[in-house]
Amino acid sequence: MKQLRRIRELTELTILATDGEIGGVQEVYFDDRNWAVRYLVVKAGGWLLSREVLLAPAAVAEIDDAHGILKVSLTKDQIKRAPPIEAAKPLSREYEEAYFRHFQWTPYWEPGPSGWASGVPFPETPPMPIDTTLPADAPKNPHLRSSSEVVGYDIRATDGAVGHVEDLVIDDETWTVRYIEVDTRNWLPGKKVLLQIMRIDHMSWADRSVAVLLTQQAIESAPAYDPSRLITPAYEVQLFKHYGTQAA
């Protein structure tokens, strides 16, 4: 089973409830304090009048890449009766509390190692400095970020601009963001590279940018990333060795 996958790959999967097809993933919401994926945003089919619904990672039972299917351990009726996302945008903590009550899951913000339901471990990744300068339309929960919104953010190295965010790479076992895919085409013709989350200093809503603790040269000389190929352990070792020798 694939473990590291781009958000774009998630959007190509058909979602199946225990009693039938639901729709497809449009984007994800992730927590910018620890890069944990909190929700999959699903565009439901005609049975829900084509409205959007949220699915927590705890609902994911299996991803079948051979058949392009993401299976969830919920019925269509359970999903249909969930609090409607249209009335809750931008997401508030009140909406999230109602959501977790509906599915009788332990909210992810509650302390302890079992903050995720169905045995999914609570992601433990280092916190990231937060830019508190938010635009007027920022979510009521300022730590929830949309993957679609972040795509296109400028990447700012310590010595200047170096491309933009093309996609996010997530670990579908722990449901955390592991890498940012960077397209450097506005600086290097066509090259794409991956940046480890630990290399990020902060993100800015207002400037639509991601500041990284690396120089332009460090990113320019990183091992090229081919989205059509699997991210192998050998490639990850290459990245760690490369960035580990680079000074910010």
Side-chain angles (χ1 to χ4, degrees), residues 208-223:
R208 293 184 52 81
S209 65
V210 181
V212 298
L213 300 169
L214 293 165
T215 63
Q216 290 179 330
Q217 193 279 332
I219 299 172
E220 174 186 11
S221 58

Side-chain angles (χ1 to χ4, degrees), residues 70-87:
L70 187 154
K71 299 179 182 179
V72 297
S73 54
L74 297 170
T75 67
K76 294 169 67 172
D77 187 63
Q78 283 178 297
I79 297 169
K80 183 177 182 180
R81 293 176 181 275
I85 189 175
E86 293 92 344

Side-chain angles (χ1 to χ4, degrees), residues 150-155 162-167 180-186:
V150 171
V151 168
Y153 271 27
D154 293 329
I155 301 293
V162 67
H164 65 271
V165 177
E166 180 72 8
D167 207 342
I180 286 181
E181 178 188 338
V182 179
D183 188 338
T184 62
R185 64 184 175 185
N186 58 343

